[in-house]
Amino acid sequence: MTLRIDISGLPSERLRFAASPLAELTAMLHVLAEPGHHPQLAVWAGDVWAGLRPELAERLREAEFLWRSSQADFLIPARPRPTLAEELDDVDRIHDETYVTAALVTTCGSNRFHSAGPSPSPSSPPSPLTDARARERALDLAQARGGRQEAFAERLLADPAAVRARVRQTLEQCAEAFFDAAWAGVAVQLATDLRLKNDLLRHQGIGAALASVSGAVTLAPEGDCIVVDKLQDKSTAAHGTGVTFIPSVFGRPHLVAVHAPGWQPVVQYPVAEPSPSEPVPLETVSLRLEALAHPVRLRLLRTLARGPHTTGELAHTWGLSPPEVSRHLAVLRRAGLLTARRHGRYVRYTLNLPDLTALGTDLLAAVLR
């Protein structure tokens, strides 16, 4: 499963790497809403919550649907600015229908009722601001998520201007409460990462720059498509707009992508750690889960966990035929869970214990990515 961004015919200068204060603030807000996703930042999150004024803490809970399970598209700017205030000014320029659409898609988890881009068009699906059925659908979805979320959706639909102003004011209060200090603390890391990415892009091309972003981001062999390993099958195009890559310190382990029709594609990626480990592709994780889903293969692994065995030994242990054992071993090998070594006449199979042990972590990383 992948997100594919069509860049055929796109000039290299339309692929940009830039830091965004608003995107990093959004990453911080997600950490505060979902600290379990970011154990390395648990102390920071605890200190921030402890220091927040009660009114601001309540405001964050009230609007957390904009950044908790996913981030509203307008919070990940396609054209980053030097300051948070400038980026919030850009958000203020977004049409009400587009803002409400992005907010409701994030909070309600559906795109069936919304207009499809930064500026409404006659061909767009009906907006919940103007269409009664779309409005009812949006409120039904919000109600299913809980009373607080329903109340937020109701306020947003009843008075978009008031909710937008309140959200902006909340973000500005976050800047004073914790963001400004945290942003100053990560500025050097972000600047260093951007220098590396832009040097690679300028001197070695798009493929090298993408390879340095993450093992989960690649350039298709034909060079006409950026492939992002995500738990979804989606596609978008960068024609006429370009693609923006935004580094994040607080976003790890997430790889956030803006891909809705009409929006410029944006990818927010985690800045590499000093000794980064390459993410395991979702396809590999799926292969391993499928390999482990068969009871016979689990029995074989139980024996192999005790040491290397030949096909004949495994067949004898479990009362199976050698060809049947060979078929199951082949599945486990394709999934990378076994290694095979020949010793004279015999081939001995060994359990790849580190990769089996890491499967839970790899699965979680693929889901969170």
Side-chain angles (χ1 to χ4, degrees):
M1 288 180 277
T2 57
L3 166 65
R4 301 178 67 86
I5 304 172
D6 184 356
I7 59 168
S8 55
L10 190 74
S12 59
E13 60 268 19
R14 291 290 185 89
L15 185 76
R16 20 179 349 225
F17 288 86
S20 164
L22 179 56
E24 193 68 358
L25 172 55
T26 302
M28 294 179 194
L29 293 171
H30 173 74
V31 171
L32 294 177
E34 288 285 6
H37 291 185
H38 310 269
Q40 76 279 14
L41 293 170
V43 173
W44 175 85
D47 289 344
V48 169
W49 277 119
L52 289 181
R53 293 180 291 104
E55 179 194 358
L56 179 54
E58 178 57 27
R59 279 173 171 256
L60 292 182
R61 296 186 185 97
E62 169 189 294
E64 69 176 10
F65 317 109
L66 296 175
W67 50 73
R68 180 165 196 152
S69 58
S70 60
Q71 289 74 37
D73 288 343
F74 54 76
L75 295 176
I76 314 292
R79 294 176 176 81
R81 308 288 190 184
T83 68
L84 178 63
E86 289 173 287
E87 292 186 325
L88 292 176
D89 287 344
D90 286 344
V91 173
D92 286 345
R93 296 184 186 100
I94 295 173
H95 192 280
D96 272 352
E97 289 188 20
T98 301
Y99 186 102
V100 170
T101 288
L104 289 178
V105 168
T106 304
T107 61
C108 302
S110 174
N111 61 1
R112 296 183 180 177
F113 52 79
H114 67 80
S115 60
S119 57
S121 69
S123 60
S124 298
S127 163
L129 283 179
T130 57
D131 183 88
R133 290 182 62 185
R135 178 190 182 89
E136 182 180 359
R137 170 68 173 162
L139 290 174
D140 283 346
L141 289 167
Q143 185 180 49
R145 293 289 185 92
R148 187 186 286 266
Q149 198 151 346
E150 181 185 16
F152 179 83
E154 286 177 343
R155 290 195 302 273
L156 183 64
L157 289 168
D159 193 347
V163 172
R164 294 180 65 164
R166 185 172 175 85
V167 169
R168 172 166 183 155
Q169 187 181 54
T170 299
L171 297 177
E172 289 171 337
Q173 290 178 8
C174 288
E176 181 180 348
F178 62 86
F179 172 73
D180 288 346
W183 177 250
V186 303
V188 173
Q189 283 177 271
L190 296 176
T192 300
D193 182 84
L194 289 172
R195 278 195 299 272
L196 169 65
K197 301 296 189 293
N198 284 307
D199 283 347
L200 286 170
L201 182 62
R202 190 162 42 250
H203 297 116
Q204 298 184 38
I206 292 176
L210 294 179
S212 72
V213 168
S214 167
V217 181
T218 57
L219 184 65
E222 300 80 8
D224 61 351
C225 185
I226 296 172
V227 182
V228 185
D229 189 43
K230 294 278 286 181
L231 196 63
Q232 56 194 356
D233 280 314
K234 299 287 184 180
S235 63
T236 187
H239 305 147
T241 58
V243 186
T244 301
F245 286 84
I246 300 175
S248 174
V249 172
F250 280 80
R252 178 172 301 280
H254 303 301
L255 197 60
V256 178
V258 173
H259 56 77
W263 292 82
Q264 177 175 328
V266 184
V267 177
Q268 184 186 35
Y269 64 92
V271 172
E273 295 176 331
S275 300
S277 57
E278 284 297 310
V280 175
L282 179 60
E283 181 181 4
T284 300
V285 175
S286 298
L287 274 176
R288 290 174 179 170
L289 291 174
E290 290 169 6
L292 295 174
H294 198 290
V296 171
R297 292 195 280 272
L298 286 177
R299 294 187 192 116
L300 297 178
L301 287 178
R302 182 177 180 183
T303 301
L304 290 168
R306 298 169 184 167
H309 286 72
T310 66
T311 300
E313 289 173 321
L314 292 168
H316 176 75
T317 299
W318 292 104
L320 302 169
S321 69
E324 185 179 4
V325 171
S326 293
R327 286 195 297 273
H328 287 298
L329 293 177
V331 174
L332 292 167
R333 287 189 67 189
R334 282 197 298 272
L337 296 175
L338 297 182
T339 56
R341 288 188 179 180
R342 179 172 290 279
H343 298 270
R345 295 173 49 206
Y346 300 100
V347 175
R348 297 188 184 278
Y349 294 90
T350 303
L351 178 62
N352 187 346
L353 192 58
D355 283 349
L356 183 61
T357 302
L359 182 56
T361 302
D362 294 338
L363 174 61
L364 181 60
V367 170
L368 293 181
R369 188 159 65 233

